[in-house]
C-alpha cells in the first residue's frame, strides 16, 4: 500500500505554510491503513512528544482535500500536546475505495472511527472539520455520544438549494445537478468526474501559486469523484436538527476571505444551534486558512476551547 513518502505533491505545499506548521523529520506522522468495510482507509497519526494533553483530535477534510492537506493543523496541535488523527476520506488521498462511495460512506466511516478511538482510550474526542468536513463533523456528532466538542470552519447545509448553487462551479450545475442525479441515479452513481469541474477550485486558497499546486495533486484537488457522492451530499439529513442539538460545544472558525463557503452560507445553520457555541473570524484567511494573523487566531482560539474542555 502506498504512503505519502512516495508522493511529492504534498511536499510542494509545505513552503506556503508558516514554518512552525510544516512537516519535518522531527514531526512526521505515523502512517497506517485501517480496514473498514470494503475500504482501506489511510490515516496520518500525529503523536505529541511532550506536554501531552488528554484530548484527541480527529481532523476531517472536505472535497478536494485529504488528511495530509490538514497537516499544518495537525503539526501545530500535536506540538501543543494534542494527539491528532487525519484520515483520507474515500475518494481522496491514498484510501483504497472498494465500491462507489457516497456522502453517507463518509458519515458512517467517521462514526465508526470515533467509536474505534473511544475504545482505545478514555481520551475525550474532538472533531475538527474544514470545508465540507465542518458539516460532516456535525453530522457525526448528531449520531455519536463519544464526541466532546466540535471545531469547524464551515456549516454549509447542502440540502439548501441556495447553498448548492453557491458551492457549485457555475449556477447551471448548482441548479440542475441534484434533480438530474436523483432522476438518473441508476445510470450516474457509478460515474466519476474530476472534482475541479464541480466547484470553485480557484478559491480553495487565496494564494494563486498554491492553488496551481493544489490542482496538480492527483490524490487531492486533482481527484475524480463518484457522482453518487454529490447526489447524497445534497440530500443527507442530520440525525438531530440544529435547533435540538445540545450534545457538545462548538467553536466556529470562519475564514474572513473564504470565497467558497463565506459566513453568509453557514450563518443560518449556526444561528439555529442550541449548543454552547462561539464564532471567531480569522483575519486575512481564505478557504484553506494559511495566512497571518488569522492562522494564529485559529491556533489561540482552538487552544482555549480545548483547554476549557479539558477542565470540564
Amino acid at each position: 500500500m502506498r504512503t505519502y513518502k512516495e508522493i511529492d505533491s504534498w511536499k510542494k505545499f509545505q513552503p506556503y505554510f508558516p514554518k512552525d506548521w510544516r512537516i519535518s523529520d522531527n514531526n512526521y506522522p505515523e502512517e497506517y491503513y485501517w480496514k473498514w468495510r470494503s475500504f482501506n482507509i489511510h490515516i496520518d497519526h500525529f503523536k505529541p512528544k511532550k506536554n501531552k494533553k488528554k484530548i484527541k483530535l480527529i481532523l476531517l477534510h472536505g472535497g478536494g482535500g485529504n488528511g495530509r492537506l490538514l497537516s499544518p493543523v495537525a503539526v501545530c496541535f500535536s506540538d501543543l500536546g494534542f494527539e491528532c488523527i487525519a484520515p483520507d476520506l474515500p475518494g481522496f488521498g491514498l484510501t483504497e475505495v472498494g465500491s462507489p462511495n457516497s456522502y453517507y460512506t463518509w458519515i458512517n466511516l467517521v462514526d465508526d472511527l470515533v467509536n474505534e478511538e473511544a475504545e482505545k482510550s478514555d481520551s475525550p474526542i474532538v472533531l475538527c472539520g474544514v470545508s465540507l468536513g465542518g458539516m460532516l463533523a456535525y453530522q457525526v456528532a448528531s449520531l455519536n455520544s463519544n464526541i466532546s466538542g466540535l471545531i469547524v470552519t464551515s456549516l454549509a447545509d447542502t440540502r439548501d438549494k441556495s447553498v448548492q448553487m453557491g458551492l457549485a462551479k457555475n449556477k447551471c450545475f448548482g441548479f440542475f445537478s441534484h434533480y438530474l442525479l436523483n432522476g438518473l441515479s441508476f445510470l450516474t452513481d457509478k460515474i466519476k468526474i474530476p472534482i475541479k469541474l464541480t466547484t470553485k477550485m480557484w478559491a480553495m486558497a487565496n494564494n494563486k501559486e498554491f492553488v496551481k499546486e493544489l490542482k496538480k495533486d492527483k490524490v487531492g484537488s486533482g481527484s475524480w469523484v463518484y457522482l453518487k457522492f454529490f447526489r447524497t451530499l445534497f440530500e443527507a439529513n442530520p440525525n438531530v436538527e440544529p435547533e435540538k442539538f445540545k450534545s457538545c460545544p462548538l467553536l466556529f472558525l470562519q475564514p474572513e476571505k473564504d470565497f467558497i463557503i463565506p459566513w453568509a452560507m453557514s450563518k443560518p445553520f449556526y444561528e439555529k444551534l442550541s449548543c454552547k457555541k462561539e464564532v471567531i473570524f480569522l483575519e486575512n484567511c481564505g478557504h484553506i486558512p494559511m495566512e497571518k494573523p488569522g492562522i494564529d487566531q485559529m491556533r489561540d482560539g482552538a487552544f482555549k476551547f480545548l483547554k476549557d474542555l479539558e477542565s470540564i
Side-chain angles (χ1 to χ4, degrees), residues 178-191 231:
H178 192 204
Y179 300 114
L180 290 173
L181 295 177
N182 269 340
L184 299 172
S185 60
F186 64 99
L187 292 174
T188 60
D189 273 1
K190 295 181 180 181
I191 295 174
R231 176 176 65 78

Side-chain angles (χ1 to χ4, degrees), residues 12-203:
K12 296 176 182 178
F13 304 155
Q14 297 299 299
Y16 295 96
F17 304 134
K19 190 172 182 179
D20 52 348
W21 295 61
R22 299 174 193 169
I23 289 180
S24 67
D25 291 339
N26 294 326
N27 59 26
Y28 194 88
E30 177 185 350
E31 293 186 70
Y32 55 85
Y33 281 82
W34 173 48
K35 179 66 177 175
W36 181 80
R37 299 186 183 179
S38 63
F39 302 83
N40 287 315
I41 310 301
H42 179 275
I43 291 177
D44 273 346
H45 194 162
F46 294 78
K47 299 178 180 179
K49 295 183 178 179
K50 58 182 180 179
N51 302 322
K52 182 170 171 45
K53 308 294 192 299
K54 64 181 181 180
I55 289 177
K56 182 184 300 184
L57 308 181
I58 297 179
L59 312 182
L60 305 176
H61 65 79
N66 52 44
R68 183 55 61 102
L69 188 57
L70 299 183
S71 63
V73 178
V75 166
C76 173
F77 282 91
S78 62
D79 189 52
L80 291 171
F82 297 96
E83 184 179 359
C84 296
I85 294 170
D88 286 345
L89 300 173
F92 299 96
L94 304 185
T95 283
E96 298 177 350
V97 177
S99 59
N101 62 282
S102 72
Y103 183 62
Y104 298 119
T105 307
W106 281 23
I107 295 171
N108 294 332
L109 186 156
V110 178
D111 184 34
D112 286 350
L113 179 60
V114 168
N115 291 334
E116 180 99 354
E117 293 302 322
E119 288 180 5
K120 292 179 181 178
S121 71
D122 59 358
S123 298
I125 295 172
V126 173
L127 295 183
C128 303
V130 175
S131 187
L132 290 181
M135 183 57 78
L136 174 63
Y138 175 82
Q139 291 268 13
V140 177
S142 74
L143 287 169
N144 197 311
S145 60
N146 287 318
I147 296 165
S148 298
L150 296 173
I151 301 175
V152 302
T153 66
S154 73
L155 283 172
D157 190 347
T158 51
R159 298 171 295 177
D160 189 298
K161 177 55 65 177
S162 65
V163 171
Q164 293 172 17
M165 294 182 69
L167 289 173
K169 187 173 184 178
N170 58 66
K171 290 185 178 181
C172 183
F173 181 84
F175 186 81
F176 290 109
S177 58
H178 192 204
Y179 300 114
L180 290 173
L181 295 177
N182 269 340
L184 299 172
S185 60
F186 64 99
L187 292 174
T188 60
D189 273 1
K190 295 181 180 181
I191 295 174
K192 295 178 80 172
I193 63 171
I195 193 167
K196 64 184 178 183
L197 296 182
T198 68
T199 192
K200 303 168 184 174
M201 201 58 65
W202 59 268

Side-chain angles (χ1 to χ4, degrees), residues 195-306:
I195 193 167
K196 64 184 178 183
L197 296 182
T198 68
T199 192
K200 303 168 184 174
M201 201 58 65
W202 59 268
M204 284 285 284
N206 293 339
N207 184 307
K208 293 181 180 179
E209 295 304 314
F210 179 67
V211 172
K212 285 181 182 178
E213 295 296 340
L214 280 177
K215 289 180 178 179
K216 298 175 188 176
D217 185 12
K218 293 182 179 180
V219 295
S221 297
S223 297
W224 288 53
V225 183
Y226 285 107
L227 288 176
K228 182 178 182 180
F229 177 81
F230 294 104
R231 176 176 65 78
T232 51
L233 173 67
F234 296 153
E235 70 181 26
N237 294 310
N239 191 53
V240 178
E241 293 292 346
E243 295 89 345
K244 296 182 179 180
F245 182 79
K246 299 179 181 178
S247 303
C248 63
L250 178 143
L251 174 64
F252 198 116
L253 300 169
Q254 174 64 53
E256 184 183 58
K257 297 180 179 179
D258 188 338
F259 300 112
I260 295 182
I261 308 180
W263 172 238
M265 194 180 289
S266 295
K267 183 180 178 182
F269 195 93
Y270 174 85
E271 290 189 334
K272 293 175 186 175
L273 288 168
S274 295
C275 63
K276 182 180 178 182
K277 59 189 178 182
E278 178 186 5
V279 60
I280 298 174
F281 292 93
L282 308 180
E283 295 177 49
N284 201 39
C285 279
H287 186 69
I288 297 176
M290 51 193 289
E291 297 89 357
K292 290 181 177 286
I295 196 169
D296 292 332
Q297 294 167 339
M298 177 173 73
R299 177 199 61 213
D300 297 343
F303 183 73
K304 180 181 182 302
F305 176 80
L306 295 169

